């Protein structure tokens, strides 16, 4: 089975965010960017499934500017087998909204034909928590949200 994992480039969680002078969004020039922490968890889980023999391949995918390749390189360094980069140049006046990302990821999923798609629970930049649910709806696939594993013993 192939697992597709969506990853997003965001302002690093340790950076103190500043609002742009025009009031439209946050300042991203000369700011450290990294993989969304919840996307890192999604990649780690996909790799665990591959190591357990449940999956044969882990493919990381992102939608974003050329600099998003760094996020894909991080996923590859973590152990992903391949990466897919859908280039999109940002326009602060017209940001890429969750539904548009879900539609793009749907196209990637239809091309890659994964048995499982994993997304982080939300992005730390917009906290939308919508893309995964929209993607499942567009694909007409079942979904599980906010899955977690606890260390409880029975």
């Amino acid at each position: 089975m192939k697992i597709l994992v969506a990853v997003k480039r965001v302002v690093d969680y340790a950076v103190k965010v500043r609002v742009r002078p025009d009031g439209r969004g946050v300042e991203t020039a000369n700011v450290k960017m990294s993989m969304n922490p919840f996307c890192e968890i999604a990649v780690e889980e996909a790799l665990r499934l591959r190591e357990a023999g449940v999956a044969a391949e882990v493919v990381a995918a992102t939608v974003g500017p050329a600099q998003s390749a760094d996020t894909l390189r991080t996923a590859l360094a973590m152990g992903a087998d391949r990466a897919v980069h859908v280039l999109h140049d940002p326009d602060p006046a017209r940001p890429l909204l969750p539904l548009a990302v879900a539609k793009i990821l749907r196209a990637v999923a239809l091309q890659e034909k994964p048995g499982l798609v994993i997304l982080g629970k939300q992005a730390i930049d917009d906290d939308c928590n919508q893309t995964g649910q929209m993607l499942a709806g567009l694909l007409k696939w079942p979904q599980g949200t906010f899955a977690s594993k606890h260390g409880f013993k029975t």
Side-chain angles (χ1 to χ4, degrees):
M1 172 176 72
K2 180 189 300 185
I3 300 176
L4 178 66
V5 184
V7 296
K8 185 176 183 182
R9 177 179 184 258
V10 297
V11 173
D12 189 85
Y13 71 91
V15 170
K16 183 175 179 177
V17 178
R18 294 180 318 220
V19 176
R20 290 179 31 189
D22 64 6
R24 295 182 177 206
V26 298
E27 186 61 58
T28 57
N30 300 316
V31 173
K32 181 181 179 192
M33 305 294 275
S34 62
M35 183 187 298
N36 179 54
F38 295 112
C39 296
E40 286 184 25
I41 294 168
V43 172
E44 289 169 357
E45 187 57 33
L47 296 172
R48 280 189 204 96
L49 289 169
R50 187 187 65 199
E51 289 168 8
V54 175
E57 183 180 23
V58 173
V59 179
T62 196
V63 180
Q67 299 91 327
S68 295
D70 291 340
T71 304
L72 291 175
R73 279 192 282 279
T74 299
L76 291 167
M78 292 172 72
D81 299 295
R82 289 189 302 114
V84 175
H85 188 177
V86 179
L87 286 170
H88 175 269
D89 288 322
D91 179 357
R94 297 177 48 174
L96 195 58
L97 299 175
L99 180 57
V101 175
K103 288 178 178 180
I104 293 167
L105 291 175
R106 176 185 179 270
V108 173
L110 291 174
Q111 182 176 340
E112 289 289 332
K113 298 179 178 30
L116 177 65
V117 179
I118 303 177
L119 285 77
K121 73 171 188 168
Q122 68 194 60
I124 64 170
D125 58 355
D126 58 15
D127 283 335
C128 279
N129 179 29
Q130 298 172 352
T131 306
Q133 291 88 331
M134 290 178 181
L135 175 59
L138 291 169
L139 288 169
K140 298 184 181 2
W141 286 8
Q143 63 177 306
T145 58
F146 293 94
S148 65
K149 183 166 88 174
H150 296 282
F152 299 114
K153 294 184 180 180
T154 56

